[in-house]
Amino acid sequence: MLVRLQTLVVEKPWGRTDIPRDFGDFGGRRIGEIWFAHPDGDDAPILVKFLFTSERLSIQVHPDDAAAQAAGFARGKDECWLVLDSDPGAELGVGLVAETSREALRDAALDGSIVDMIDWRPAREGDFVYNRAGTIHAIGAGLTVVEVQQNVDCTYRLYDYGRPRELHLDAGLAVAAPGPRPDSRDGRVEPDDNRLLVDGPHFRLLHLAGPDAAAMLPQTDGAYSFVPLSPGCRVDDEAVALGECVVIDRADGIALAPNARALLCWPC
């Protein structure tokens, strides 16, 4: 079974007008996000999206399962990013450069100096970052990123560069880890890598490349999301294009042409 997910195109003031034509022709609109709507709606455990940035996004944090459920959400939010393209000088903000107190963090969020507390990492094509719940983070300008996350609409903004949007300091500071947040899963992904990027606790994520990807594919029934990152991707002899995401119940029908690449994710 193959289900092509509905594409949801989201305009953002920090979006871009020059996103690849594979995603569609948007007539010069400033597109920030492309989501894929799962037929299970909010019950789907995983959400996939592409992000296109021309400005820094808000500095934010997500709760873990326990904190999110206490606030009335189905689940918390771990998420991860794979950088597909980057302008010179592009950055990702992941955690803080040093331990601090929540009181100092609140003051910094209010006066804007929180920007200088973020661990801003240079972001290049192929960089992979896993953001555990509680990690203070931000996506910089000049990036195209594919994001895989737990499926929940729960983001606590700590700072938004003066944009007229609500902040969530009390809720965000209550769940934030006020210090550095390195993760062993962070690193580089080469275009020809076939490897498991994430092995739980909430989802598994494979980077697949070329015909050799067949050896990596799960052989059991499941709820798999398949996301092409290039042309040349097929499922059961049916083409799946860059700019699409499909849900399949078997992964062993995936076939990639030489130099093709894709992501495959599924819940734990």
Side-chain angles (χ1 to χ4, degrees):
M1 179 187 71
L2 182 152
V3 177
R4 296 179 190 270
L5 300 190
Q6 179 187 0
T7 301
L8 303 178
V9 178
V10 183
E11 294 184 65
K12 293 285 187 179
W14 45 257
R16 301 179 69 138
T17 60
D18 61 347
I19 66 175
R21 291 297 294 268
D22 302 88
F23 292 92
D25 182 357
F26 303 110
R29 289 185 290 156
R30 193 169 289 278
I31 306 304
E33 302 177 352
I34 292 180
W35 299 35
F36 300 100
H38 197 284
D40 291 342
D42 293 342
D43 291 335
I46 297 173
L47 175 67
V48 178
K49 65 173 81 166
F50 288 87
L51 303 173
F52 311 91
T53 70
S54 62
E55 302 173 9
R56 282 179 170 176
L57 277 63
S58 64
I59 295 172
Q60 56 187 240
V61 67
H62 306 304
D64 62 14
D65 284 352
Q69 289 164 2
F73 297 94
R75 60 186 66 84
K77 189 193 289 188
D78 276 23
E79 65 185 10
C80 57
W81 305 322
L82 177 61
V83 177
L84 301 179
D85 190 42
S86 65
D87 291 348
E91 297 177 307
L92 291 170
V94 187
L96 305 182
V97 295
E99 293 288 341
T100 189
S101 67
R102 284 183 169 78
E103 292 75 16
L105 196 55
R106 177 185 291 274
D107 291 342
L110 290 171
D111 67 19
S113 61
I114 191 173
V115 174
D116 300 320
M117 301 170 73
I118 299 296
D119 182 8
W120 291 103
R121 308 176 184 179
R124 301 172 297 158
E125 180 182 351
D127 284 345
F128 180 76
V129 173
Y130 191 94
N131 275 323
R132 291 166 285 161
T135 301
I136 298 170
H137 61 274
I139 296 178
L143 288 167
T144 299
V145 173
V146 58
E147 177 177 293
V148 178
Q149 62 167 83
Q150 288 181 274
N151 179 28
V152 65
D153 186 13
C154 182
T155 294
Y156 297 141
R157 283 186 292 273
L158 302 178
Y159 182 70
D160 201 22
Y161 300 92
R163 299 182 185 110
R165 295 197 297 174
E166 181 184 5
L167 300 180
H168 314 95
L169 288 183
D170 289 341
L173 292 172
V175 303
R181 292 283 275 182
D183 192 279
S184 61
R185 291 162 285 199
D186 296 352
R188 295 279 302 161
V189 179
E190 299 301 332
D192 59 354
D193 280 349
N194 278 294
R195 76 182 156 98
L196 184 65
L197 302 179
V198 179
D199 191 14
H202 305 291
F203 54 84
R204 293 185 174 89
L205 176 64
L206 278 171
H207 182 267
L208 304 173
D212 291 344
M216 297 284 295
L217 298 174
Q219 301 296 309
T220 57
D221 291 347
Y224 301 101
S225 296
F226 179 64
V227 190
L229 302 181
S230 74
C233 300
R234 305 184 72 85
V235 177
D236 296 330
D237 292 326
E238 190 170 346
V240 184
L242 174 62
E244 291 188 296
C245 177
V246 300
V247 173
I248 51 180
D249 56 5
R250 296 281 305 186
D252 48 7
I254 291 171
L256 302 186
N259 301 317
R261 57 194 294 237
L263 296 178
L264 182 71
C265 55
W266 65 101
C268 292

